[in-house]
């Protein structure tokens, strides 16, 4: 039974609260990684609060808040509310960073599986698309001055080669 004080843990809305909380934390992380502009555009699946917190531009790859993706096609397959992704608008304006799966790599075995499920179910196997493979790399961006791994993401190769906003990467 749901109780007002326990909405986060006792209702089916828990996943919504988790997405919001995750977006909030990731938005703050991105602001720390990129303290001044120009900030990279971040393509995101479960945005949560990220667009409200991150000081840079975002692209909602689900199409919920991205008109180009939302209206690119009427032919949709996949989970309801998560099937609007279309490659054409994605590649017309590709974000510098694509967050798929856990934003921080901590070495869990399941991290690869989580990313693969998202690519298969929501992004129509974008990671197997030759253009994506030529354009992006899965990287870990490091924060200065600590050198700690900070963000696990797919990053555009041209952006990385241009300096990746002053961060180290591999």
């Amino acid at each position: 039974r749901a109780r007002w004080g326990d909405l986060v843990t006792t209702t089916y809305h828990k996943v919504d609260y988790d997405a919001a909380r995750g977006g909030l934390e990731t938005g703050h992380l991105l602001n720390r990684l990129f303290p001044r502009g120009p900030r990279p555009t971040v393509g995101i699946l479960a945005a949560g609060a990220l667009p409200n917190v991150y000081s840079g531009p975002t692209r909602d790859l689900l199409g919920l808040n991205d008109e180009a993706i939302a209206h690119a096609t009427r032919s949709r397959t996949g989970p309801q509310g998560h099937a609007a992704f279309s490659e054409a608008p994605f590649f017309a304006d590709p974000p510098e960073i694509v967050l798929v799966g856990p934003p921080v790599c901590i070495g869990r075995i399941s991290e690869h599986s989580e990313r693969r499920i998202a690519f298969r179910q929501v992004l129509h196997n974008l990671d197997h698309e030759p253009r994506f493979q030529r354009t992006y790399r899965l990287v870990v961006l490091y924060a200065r001055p600590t050198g700690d791994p900070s963000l696990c993401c797919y990053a555009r190769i041209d952006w990385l080669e241009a300096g990746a906003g002053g961060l180290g990467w591999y």
Side-chain angles (χ1 to χ4, degrees):
R1 231 169 95 174
R3 292 191 314 234
W4 185 251
D6 296 325
L7 283 179
V8 173
T9 58
T10 61
T11 69
Y12 67 90
H13 293 292
K14 180 181 182 323
V15 69
D16 297 322
Y17 286 105
D18 289 345
R21 188 179 305 115
L24 180 72
E25 292 168 5
T26 303
H28 287 307
L29 170 66
L30 287 163
N31 287 332
R32 285 192 306 274
L33 285 172
F34 308 105
R36 56 194 173 284
R39 292 182 171 95
T41 299
V42 177
I44 187 81
L45 292 182
L50 187 139
N52 298 321
V53 175
Y54 176 50
S55 298
T58 61
R59 289 208 59 203
D60 180 352
L61 301 182
L62 298 179
L64 301 172
N65 297 302
D66 188 300
E67 188 174 347
I69 290 176
H71 295 283
T73 181
R74 293 265 182 224
S75 174
R76 297 185 178 175
T77 59
Q80 183 177 358
H82 296 80
F85 177 78
S86 179
E87 287 180 18
F90 174 83
F91 284 114
D93 187 19
E96 286 85 7
I97 291 175
V98 176
L99 290 174
V100 177
V104 179
C105 294
I106 58 174
R108 289 182 300 126
I109 294 172
S110 64
E111 288 173 2
H112 173 75
S113 298
E114 290 173 32
R115 280 190 293 276
R116 186 65 206 116
I117 289 168
F119 274 115
R120 188 180 75 238
Q121 291 184 346
V122 181
L123 298 177
H124 308 290
N125 290 309
L126 180 67
D127 58 331
H128 290 180
E129 164 64 42
R131 284 184 298 175
F132 186 83
Q133 292 174 346
R134 284 190 308 269
T135 307
Y136 288 91
R137 290 291 178 265
L138 179 61
V139 299
V140 177
L141 299 178
Y142 291 89
R144 288 187 178 192
T146 64
D148 294 330
S150 294
L151 186 68
C152 186
C153 62
Y154 288 85
R156 252 185 26 215
I157 295 169
D158 64 334
W159 178 74
L160 292 169
E161 290 173 347
L167 298 177
W169 64 277
Y170 76 82

